[in-house]
Amino acid sequence: MNYGFVIDNRLCIGCHACSTACKSENEVPLGVNRTWVKYVETGVFPDSSRHFQVTRCNHCANPPCVEICPVTAMFKRSDGIVDFDGDACIGCKACIQACPYDAIYIDPDTLTAAKCHYCAHRTEIGLEPACVVVCPEQAIISGDIDDPHSTIRQLIDNNQVKTRKPEIGTKPKLFYIEGSTVTLDPIASVQIPSTYMWSDVEAGNKHAGIDKNANKLTKASTADGPVKIGGKVAEHMVQVSYDVNHKKAWHWPVAAYLTTKASAAGTYLMLMCAMAMGVADIGDVVSRVMSLIVLVAMVATGVFLCVDLERPERFLRVIIRPQWRSWLSRGAWILVGFGGIVISILGINLAAWLEIKHVDELENMLLRPATLLAWGGASSIVAICVATYTAYLFRQAKGRELWQGKYLPLHMGVQAAIAGSAICIMLMNWVGGVGDMYSFCVTVLCGGIAISAVIVYSEHIVDKNRVTAVRMSNQAMVFGEYRIWFWVGGIFCGHVLPLTVLFGAGTGFGTIVAVGALFGLFCYEYVFILAGQTVPNS
Ligand code: SF4
Ligand code: SF4
């Protein structure tokens, strides 16, 4: 058994009976939808058309929502249905970022992820999904797509069918007969919510700005020329007239978590470098303060991770019931391992401070070149994993093209080096310079900022990327609604200010260098997270 859907657009009359039946059958709350009929209008009266598209989960054969879920709350059944378990969900919203089709929402009552589950409770007892039964035109066909004698298989074989975004490789199992590009491709049409007929638009939706301009253009140009909407001549008009909200699932806590995580990993790597250079000792004040900073940054990382969860009280499930293909689970275990290393170092420091017996011998043993190389090298690899694993989590978020950049792991490593070296420079200003170590930190900071600037320039500013969704995100980031965060925060505070202070004001301004670098890092991550979510997926 391998369940799938066919939507026959030759028959669909856009009546929304399926949306209503689904709401009723599955008790879907107001404001969210498991299935809906997207409307797109083309042309201008009398040569206008309205295109319908029943839109929902595609029960993909290769579902990225399942791969990214850290606790197996999204899962694929043996009958091909992609189902969810609200009792297991922690509300991390990673599946929303992974689904390239906008099929998942957070249930406002349970604060857990939900979506079309093919009415699994009905199919298990031999009934068809509620939408199939209610459709007056029999435009929705369900069944086993692997059975050559089934109606659905024959419809697929005997008609030209299309799926949404086949290029992503998710292998959707919802096939449209006479599917239209203007509805299948979410960025082929202008999305102006005031032209929507009934759908609610999120309060404070940034589309409102585009909206006002669109109305102005329509009014102004009727008097002296062809009607224009969103800058397009109306004869060529393609606009959405009914759709759901495209809410952003991740906000500032994710940017804050990336910043504190980079600070923890970077500071630890600087500490290891200091020990390798012989300017820090495992029991000295520099080592104690740096380890403490790493620990505080790690605790803050955990707090920001929890703040972003819809069900923070379920956070420990990422550790105790991990789904190992998810980089959220892998990352959580990397953070746990790293936390253990930092606590051990602090424990040795504390024992030395309390003058506990035999600690001196342990310290001496740990600082022997061969042992230092072994544990310092191994723990540094863990720190590098802490800095970079999120790049692989972003790669699993297949719904966000901006986050698929090939230099992302390198950039995250470089960001950790910038944060760690800036924190060290500040620390050395406070406790007194440590000669070679200060020069080393300045070199790392300058090198990191230079590499970061090249990556930011090539990935976001020159923008040779041919993927339209990436260009749209970059537009929002560099020239659109996030431009102040990007230029003032990310570029000026994060790149220009630390270098200007270091070379223009001398060595006594480490605090300004660190604050600028860390605030700049936060601003960059903030726009990267939000701009990546500006492109609609349905
Ligand atoms: S990726 Fe989206 S469309 Fe595909 S199975 Fe998951 S929720 Fe459904
Ligand atoms: S735990 Fe996260 S990824 Fe899994 S279903 Fe819930 S919100 Fe989605």
Side-chain angles (χ1 to χ4, degrees), residues 93-328:
K93 297 164 280 186
C95 53
I96 295 178
Q97 308 293 11
C99 174
Y101 309 104
D102 236 354
I104 306 174
Y105 60 87
I106 292 292
D107 186 308
D109 295 336
T110 61
L111 300 180
T112 55
K115 65 175 195 68
C116 161
H117 67 146
Y118 208 94
C119 282
H121 58 290
R122 291 173 60 91
T123 53
E124 278 166 8
I125 54 170
L127 300 175
E128 291 182 307
C131 57
V132 176
V133 175
V134 82
C135 178
E137 297 296 315
Q138 297 187 330
I140 305 175
I141 299 94
S142 62
D144 181 3
I145 60 170
D146 285 353
D147 176 0
H149 305 297
S150 65
T151 309
I152 189 169
R153 184 71 252 171
Q154 288 178 7
L155 279 169
I156 294 168
D157 289 344
N158 298 326
N159 292 279
Q160 275 208 332
V161 290
K162 289 183 182 169
T163 58
R164 295 163 68 194
K165 298 188 188 173
E167 69 281 2
I168 293 184
T170 52
K171 299 190 180 153
K173 290 190 289 150
L174 189 159
F175 302 89
Y176 293 95
I177 297 176
E178 287 198 1
S180 166
T181 307
V182 295
T183 53
L184 291 171
D185 181 354
I187 50 181
S189 45
V190 181
Q191 305 228 352
I192 307 169
S194 80
T195 65
Y196 287 14
M197 291 187 292
W198 312 290
S199 17
D200 289 339
V201 176
E202 191 184 354
N205 192 313
K206 293 289 180 194
H207 285 302
I210 306 169
D211 222 4
K212 274 185 228 143
N213 291 337
N215 289 339
K216 230 186 276 168
L217 279 166
T218 309
K219 244 183 176 176
S221 40
T222 41
D224 55 357
V227 175
K228 288 184 176 179
I229 291 186
K232 291 191 177 181
V233 176
E235 279 88 342
H236 308 135
M237 183 183 88
V238 179
Q239 71 168 25
V240 179
S241 56
Y242 184 82
D243 200 2
V244 295
N245 272 323
H246 306 289
K247 288 184 182 169
K248 296 181 180 74
W250 286 350
H251 297 272
W252 69 266
V254 177
Y257 137 83
L258 289 170
T259 307
T260 52
K261 185 167 70 68
S263 303
T267 307
Y268 185 84
L269 287 168
M270 286 296 128
L271 174 61
M272 288 300 109
C273 291
M275 283 191 194
M277 290 165 68
V279 294
D281 197 333
I282 194 161
D284 69 9
V285 67
V286 175
S287 156
R288 277 177 204 162
V289 176
M290 285 176 80
S291 308
L292 210 55
I293 289 174
V294 176
L295 189 67
V296 170
M298 286 294 290
V299 171
T301 301
V303 169
F304 288 129
L305 267 176
C306 288
V307 165
D308 195 60
L309 298 183
E310 298 294 329
R311 299 295 299 262
E313 78 282 7
R314 294 181 174 178
F315 173 71
L316 276 182
R317 291 181 187 185
V318 182
I319 308 291
I320 55 183
R321 51 169 295 173
Q323 189 277 102
W324 287 113
R325 284 193 302 152
S326 166
W327 273 98
L328 257 174

